[in-house]
Amino acid sequence: MTSRILLIEDDSTIGEVLESSLRSHGYQITWERTGAAGLARAMTAAVDLVLLDLGLPDLDGVEVCRQLRRADPGCVLVMLTARSAEMDVVVGLEAGADDYLVKPIRLTELHARIRAHLRRNEDPSARSVQPIGDLVVDVPRRRVTVAGQELRLRPKEFDLLARLAAQPDVAVSRETLMSEVWDEHWFGSTKTLDVHVAAVRRKIGEIAASTGARVPEIVTLRGHGYRLELDPPDNGYGYS
């Protein structure tokens, strides 16, 4: 089945290059030039992945990102931004994006990222249910529950938690997480990993606090990576 990509980009030169390149790789492309038109299209058509320029003329790209995420929690959302400042990237990721590319965009990198995202969304291979305390990661159904209450995660948040849950109490390096959850040919900063870890921690912590559930923590291993651990020595939701 042909993957459906929605491109939201106001720059005609960039848009034409991206549209042509994506079509040549066999994707079904819809190109909208404003945030409002992109949101309207996303509301009415099934989309597998959105490429969203943050520098749109009509709506703030971060707000478009938030609305797109609310409209379709399962869609992969990749930001295209000329803003390379770390804080701009963090704000976009926290608004709901799964990934980002800084302009000028390298087409080889773009296609590698798209393939990795779509492959992981479609790949049914892993495949088990992982109970850790009161948290259950159901990989085949892409569903996480805490004490029976569903935890709403974005696609990459789920992939990250599932990877850590596959080996509880085992240290997983940052490089391994970037390679297996994002892309083995990752080019840029690993800041996206930190933002996703923070989001998963917050969501698990909120539902655990409201239910009194016993849940694992994502423990930071400075200079190495992360470990998903039930009842770590310091207890509580404090992270080293």
Side-chain angles (χ1 to χ4, degrees), residues 105-162:
I105 295 166
R106 294 176 289 187
L107 292 177
T108 53
E109 180 181 1
L110 172 69
H111 288 296
R113 298 278 187 93
I114 289 174
R115 285 194 301 272
H117 284 299
L118 293 176
R119 182 173 64 245
R120 289 186 178 92
N121 265 19
E122 294 170 359
D123 181 11
S125 65
R127 311 270 320 185
S128 59
V129 175
Q130 297 286 345
I132 308 173
D134 292 322
L135 181 140
V136 177
V137 180
D138 185 338
V139 177
R141 298 174 65 192
R142 292 188 67 83
R143 185 169 183 254
V144 177
T145 57
V146 174
Q149 185 172 331
E150 186 158 5
L151 184 67
R152 292 179 62 84
L153 297 176
R154 306 201 312 257
K156 286 300 170 192
E157 293 171 357
F158 177 89
D159 293 340
L160 172 63
L161 181 58

Side-chain angles (χ1 to χ4, degrees), residues 6-75:
L6 171 61
L7 171 64
I8 307 176
E9 169 62 68
D10 67 303
D11 187 303
S12 295
T13 300
I14 294 174
E16 287 169 3
V17 170
L18 293 180
E19 181 184 41
S20 175
S21 182
L22 291 165
R23 285 194 192 283
S24 72
H25 280 69
Y27 298 114
Q28 180 181 319
I29 307 300
T30 302
W31 176 19
E32 299 293 351
R33 292 165 174 77
T34 67
L39 284 170
R41 177 70 65 175
M43 301 293 183
T44 57
V47 175
D48 299 305
L49 184 144
V50 176
L51 295 173
L52 169 66
D53 176 28
L54 288 189
L56 296 170
D58 59 328
L59 295 174
D60 178 74
V62 173
E63 180 56 31
V64 174
C65 183
R66 290 193 183 98
Q67 293 191 39
L68 284 170
R69 178 54 68 213
R70 287 196 294 267
D72 188 354
C75 179

Side-chain angles (χ1 to χ4, degrees), residues 141-191:
R141 298 174 65 192
R142 292 188 67 83
R143 185 169 183 254
V144 177
T145 57
V146 174
Q149 185 172 331
E150 186 158 5
L151 184 67
R152 292 179 62 84
L153 297 176
R154 306 201 312 257
K156 286 300 170 192
E157 293 171 357
F158 177 89
D159 293 340
L160 172 63
L161 181 58
R163 175 60 185 86
L164 291 169
Q167 293 180 290
D169 299 321
V170 173
V172 184
S173 71
R174 296 176 66 85
E175 292 76 15
T176 296
L177 290 169
M178 292 307 304
S179 173
E180 296 185 9
V181 177
W182 277 268
D183 179 15
E184 64 270 24
H185 303 297
W186 184 264
F187 291 90
S189 165
T190 60
K191 190 63 181 179

